[in-house]
Amino acid sequence: MGLPSFDSFSSSARHKVWRGDELGLADGQVVGTGHAALNAQLPGGGWPVGAMTELLQSAPEAHAWQLLLPALAQAVQGGNGPVALIGAPQEPFGPALAARGLPVEALLWVRCEASAARLWACEQALRCADMAAVLAWLPQARVGELRRLQLAAAQHDSLLFVFRPETAAHSTSPARLRLRLASCEDDSAQIDVHILKRRGPPLASPIRLPARSERMTALLAASQLRRKLRWQQEGGLQPMAEGATVVRLGLHQEKGHALDRIALAA
């Protein structure tokens, strides 16, 4: 039996060869993030299936839904099962998520405080055959425990997102993809996404994504305009300087608009 030619070997192995100065290919299936700028910087153009994606941020609930909603809605609508939330810091606001394509009926919220209980629940969710994705808040997880979750995700081809504090950036992690999320300092309507680990070269500058959906941005702008007009009609004064408005005393006691709660979830 003759040896395979070099050309045939190169053709079959080319997809496994990765140069450190190039963006690598995905090892398996990916799900598009719903953000074109982010897709362009990820191997395969999306979130890796069967692998852990680690998201680091200062506040555990910040930016999670805006970043992940497009992919989660796509996975659920594709009939891949529900989304498990392990140790989520706040109860999701159903109407806002449903408006973005993720019905509340597709969410399984597992409430547990102890780190061991969260790890156990996460591993059990990953073993379920019909599970679109698992989102787990694991601020105290150790490397060995994360490695077990990574193996479980790989065995069952699951989307796994693990949320940890920013301080974890200095420790090692088995995650295939590692991102740090932060509010943009000069624009609160934007998110800075720093790619800490990927199959590719380091990213010199963060990717800037909207902190809320276009529809929500338009609704908030319209709501702000209505309040401004109402203040003026009820005795408010024109702005004295940019960013400062003087209004009649007592108007600040107005109850919060229902949209405020939706904005928090979006």
Side-chain angles (χ1 to χ4, degrees), residues 124-170:
Q124 298 308 308
L126 289 170
R127 290 178 177 176
C128 293
D130 298 324
M131 189 67 66
V134 176
L135 281 62
W137 283 260
L138 305 173
Q140 301 174 347
R142 294 175 296 211
V143 175
E145 294 166 335
L146 294 175
R147 188 172 292 112
R148 284 189 60 180
L149 298 182
Q150 163 68 22
L151 292 174
Q155 291 172 357
H156 300 279
D157 290 331
S158 302
L159 276 171
L160 172 60
F161 299 96
V162 171
F163 298 88
R164 302 181 70 202
E166 282 184 326
T167 53
H170 304 293

Side-chain angles (χ1 to χ4, degrees), residues 111-127:
R111 301 178 62 178
C112 47
E113 295 299 329
S115 178
R118 292 187 182 189
L119 289 165
W120 180 87
C122 185
E123 191 168 354
Q124 298 308 308
L126 289 170
R127 290 178 177 176

Side-chain angles (χ1 to χ4, degrees), residues 227-239:
R227 285 198 292 265
K228 180 179 179 181
L229 293 175
R230 185 166 65 250
W231 288 341
Q232 293 175 355
Q233 293 171 358
E234 296 179 358
L237 303 178
Q238 292 291 339

Side-chain angles (χ1 to χ4, degrees), residues 196-222:
L196 305 181
K197 180 182 178 181
R198 64 174 177 172
R199 194 176 187 183
L203 196 62
S205 58
I207 302 167
R208 188 154 291 184
L209 301 178
R212 59 181 69 96
S213 66
E214 294 182 1
R215 180 184 178 189
M216 185 57 60
T217 299
L219 288 172
L220 290 174

Side-chain angles (χ1 to χ4, degrees), residues 18-251:
W18 166 55
R19 294 177 54 182
D21 59 348
E22 296 178 351
L23 184 63
L25 299 176
D27 292 335
Q29 181 185 357
V30 300
V31 175
T33 68
H35 309 282
L38 182 57
N39 286 343
Q41 299 298 333
L42 299 182
W47 302 120
V49 177
M52 178 191 301
T53 295
E54 192 174 4
L55 304 174
L56 310 179
Q57 48 191 0
S58 58
E61 71 279 5
H63 313 310
W65 291 114
Q66 178 59 22
L67 184 68
L68 301 182
L69 254 177
L72 297 179
Q74 176 185 342
V76 168
Q77 293 169 7
N80 295 324
V83 173
L85 311 177
I86 312 297
Q90 294 181 353
E91 180 180 359
F93 186 51
L97 300 182
R100 301 280 302 280
L102 184 62
V104 68
E105 295 82 5
L107 298 178
L108 299 176
W109 185 24
V110 181
R111 301 178 62 178
C112 47
E113 295 299 329
S115 178
R118 292 187 182 189
L119 289 165
W120 180 87
C122 185
E123 191 168 354
Q124 298 308 308
L126 289 170
R127 290 178 177 176
C128 293
D130 298 324
M131 189 67 66
V134 176
L135 281 62
W137 283 260
L138 305 173
Q140 301 174 347
R142 294 175 296 211
V143 175
E145 294 166 335
L146 294 175
R147 188 172 292 112
R148 284 189 60 180
L149 298 182
Q150 163 68 22
L151 292 174
Q155 291 172 357
H156 300 279
D157 290 331
S158 302
L159 276 171
L160 172 60
F161 299 96
V162 171
F163 298 88
R164 302 181 70 202
E166 282 184 326
T167 53
H170 304 293
S171 61
T172 59
S173 171
R176 179 81 55 80
L177 180 64
R178 224 176 178 204
L179 308 179
R180 181 170 68 84
L181 313 178
S183 298
C184 179
E185 294 183 357
D186 55 356
D187 187 353
S188 61
Q190 301 288 323
I191 304 172
D192 280 342
V193 180
H194 303 259
I195 299 182
L196 305 181
K197 180 182 178 181
R198 64 174 177 172
R199 194 176 187 183
L203 196 62
S205 58
I207 302 167
R208 188 154 291 184
L209 301 178
R212 59 181 69 96
S213 66
E214 294 182 1
R215 180 184 178 189
M216 185 57 60
T217 299
L219 288 172
L220 290 174
S223 177
Q224 184 179 11
L225 178 60
R226 287 196 299 269
R227 285 198 292 265
K228 180 179 179 181
L229 293 175
R230 185 166 65 250
W231 288 341
Q232 293 175 355
Q233 293 171 358
E234 296 179 358
L237 303 178
Q238 292 291 339
M240 300 297 293
E242 183 178 357
T245 304
V246 179
V247 299
R248 191 176 64 195
L249 294 177
L251 293 181

